[in-house]
Amino acid sequence: MANEKPSFDQKAPDGNGRSPSLSSGSRYVENHNPKRDEHASTRKASVAALLRNPLTGMSEEEILADVDHFVDEKGLHESREAFHKGALLARVSQRADGFEYVDSLTEEEKAVLRKEVTSRWDQPFMLYFLVILCAGSAIVQGMDQTAVNGAQIFYFEEFGITNEWQQGLLNGAPYLCSALIGCWMNAPLNKAFGRRGTIFISCFISFVTGFWMAAADSWYNLLIARFALGFAVGAKSSTTPVYAAESAPKNIRGALTMMWQMWTAFGIMLGFMVSVAFENVTIFGPTSPWRWMLASTSIPPFFVMIQVYLCPESPRWYMEKGKYDKAFRAMKRLRRHEVQAARDMYYANKLLQVEAGQREGKNLWKEFFFVKRNRRAAQSSFFVMFMQQFCGVNVIAYYSTQIFINAGFDRSNALLVSLGTGVVNWLFAIPAVYTIDTFGRRNLLLVTFPLMSLMLLFGGFSFFIANAPNGEPSQAQLGCVATAIYLFMVVYSPGEGPVPFTYSAEAFPLYIRDIGMSFATAVTWGFNFILSLTWPPLQRNFTTTGAFGWYAAWNIFGWVYCYFLLPETKNLTLEELDVVFNVGNKEIFKYYSEKLPWYMEKYVMRKDVVPFEPLTRVHEAEEGSTAAAGDEKFTEV
């Protein structure tokens, strides 16, 4: 009945109106394969489902008893009542209005919880202060990447660097260090110094190396300074999104984590801006502007270093260290009400218990490589990380000024047009916060890969446009090259821009996520180095047209791989991802091969076709029984 409350004892509904009790049934993904396990239709909730809500199936009395043990053991007895209420809230957290059925809450507390649902961006100042910190860290990352774009045309001249391999090594040195060392420092730094400490150390390295690069008196001194910068790149890119995710409430966690990509794009734009701003600052000589460009990269990390210890540490990190009193104080600074803080902290503690159980007695590296589900997640994650580099975007990020000069722009105009690429990249990264969860990771890549390929071919063949009568490149050539690169950035920003880090962060199970993310970031920075190193000789031997064609071909490869072998991860629970990544390469390839004619008939020939059978399906089944075919509820994963 409309006004009837469900009994709280094992009957409070979850987000789908079902009882959260494990014994009453489970939601699972069935691989639509004739050879599937005969027990799949009655599969019980797995450990992954427990990670979704570890309080599932516990009665109110059991939860309150567990809370009493928790607060006594962790020294939180002064907040016992808040944790009682918080635990009961966590139990019904799958349903947005679940708190309405918790009778122990006061009307004031319920009003706060209602506002949490209706005004999700109404958060305490400290949470937004932390978001600003994470944005600043991302800006540091982006600016470190692109300040070299304009600087290189000056320091190559000053140091007489004409060898293409030497030029590529100098530009790519930070990413070599990051792939070999920096990414693998993430775990030990976080363990020893926490999220804030890791961000502080990485920004301190960026701060010091910015001035070190600016003061370099030889090319090899500059090379060492740029290599040292790589210690900061890997740790910062792995830690900052995690810090934001662990501190944010779940209803805005995805959006705040996605901000990393948007503000990195803003930092990339700032890197282009300083190249334009310091072009004519020749206080130390006609080739000295590069020193000011690289020194300016020390400014953003300085402000992040000042701010970082004004923010609370990640409550989850405190809990991992056994400092539960500090964790609760930090959580209260990040939430509007003590009950919200108790709910989120108690829930996180239960997740940590399940995660610890998964890790116990296991060799995580062996699990990473020899468990099929993990291996398939790594394969997919490494693919999107590899393609973030070999789609060709960082050719533009690092070498666009020289590309525009080769196209016939003078140096000042080349720097200005390069700035335009940074502005376009940032502006079109903003909608990605919406599109990545609306259209899905796989669909965004399928749309953008061929468009990126087309734009690179457009830019490459624009160099064949006839010169003006005086022998200079024509305005048509200049305009087409600039337009092609701008359009490339428009297409890249909502596709291969945000997808790789988002996909990698969600693909791995929690118990090996640290290893997975370290490996994934090492892949992207390693291929970033290869791209930086090889572009100058590639351009000389293949010409700019051939080099653009090379990366256009990689985008076609990316589309083919994505269509036939890359699974979607949008809006899937951990349990669903377990089964999705257990689908073998042969099976997924065969399925999408058979579906290709269906796509042609539906979207190209515009025929009214029968819906194609999904590869994987979600359905509801009662434990111990097999639902009749007509009673099953299916949705495509």
Side-chain angles (χ1 to χ4, degrees), residues 184 363-379 381-382 508-509 511-520:
W184 307 105
N363 182 317
L364 298 186
W365 281 102
K366 186 176 180 180
E367 290 276 315
F368 186 82
F369 288 106
F370 292 100
V371 174
K372 179 181 178 181
R373 181 260 186 269
N374 300 337
R375 193 168 61 247
R376 286 279 294 123
Q379 172 190 314
S381 177
F382 293 173
F508 298 102
Y511 77 104
I512 61 163
R513 189 160 291 173
D514 288 345
I515 293 175
M517 277 302 293
S518 293
F519 216 138

Side-chain angles (χ1 to χ4, degrees), residues 22-206:
L22 290 181
S23 63
S24 63
S26 60
R27 181 174 184 256
Y28 66 91
V29 183
E30 177 183 310
N31 178 13
H32 190 63
N33 179 354
K35 297 181 180 180
R36 63 180 176 264
D37 189 339
E38 62 181 353
H39 301 296
S41 62
T42 58
R43 178 182 169 203
K44 296 182 180 180
S46 66
V47 174
L50 292 176
L51 283 169
R52 186 181 176 203
N53 189 342
L55 304 176
T56 295
M58 294 178 66
S59 69
E60 181 175 336
E61 290 74 16
E62 289 173 331
I63 287 178
L64 294 178
D66 186 71
V67 170
D68 287 333
H69 175 74
F70 170 74
V71 297
D72 290 337
E73 182 183 38
K74 309 303 181 185
L76 298 168
H77 50 273
E78 293 181 359
S79 303
R80 187 183 306 272
E81 183 180 355
F83 276 100
H84 277 168
K85 295 177 181 179
L88 296 178
L89 286 172
R91 182 170 176 254
V92 292
S93 60
Q94 266 92 353
R95 179 164 175 166
D97 64 345
F99 62 87
E100 300 285 2
Y101 307 114
V102 181
D103 294 330
S104 58
L105 294 173
T106 66
E107 280 305 313
E108 177 190 356
E109 290 165 342
K110 287 186 177 182
V112 172
L113 294 167
R114 290 186 192 106
K115 193 168 186 180
E116 182 181 48
V117 175
T118 59
S119 304
R120 61 179 185 150
W121 292 103
D122 181 33
Q123 301 293 338
F125 167 78
M126 187 50 66
L127 181 63
Y128 285 109
F129 191 69
L130 184 145
V131 170
I132 293 171
L133 168 73
C134 294
S137 183
I139 289 170
V140 173
Q141 190 86 351
M143 198 171 177
D144 283 339
Q145 288 181 244
T146 54
V148 69
N149 188 295
Q152 65 183 293
I153 63 176
F154 295 99
Y155 62 64
F156 286 164
E157 181 181 348
E158 180 169 331
F159 296 131
I161 302 172
T162 56
N163 182 279
E164 292 97 341
W165 292 101
Q166 189 178 350
Q167 291 175 348
L169 177 63
L170 196 55
N171 287 343
Y175 315 112
L176 175 63
C177 175
S178 182
L180 296 179
I181 306 172
C183 290
W184 307 105
M185 294 299 294
N186 174 48
L189 284 175
N190 274 275
K191 185 176 182 179
F193 302 105
R195 314 298 187 224
R196 295 182 304 176
T198 302
I199 293 172
F200 181 90
I201 292 168
S202 61
C203 285
F204 178 77
I205 293 172
S206 294

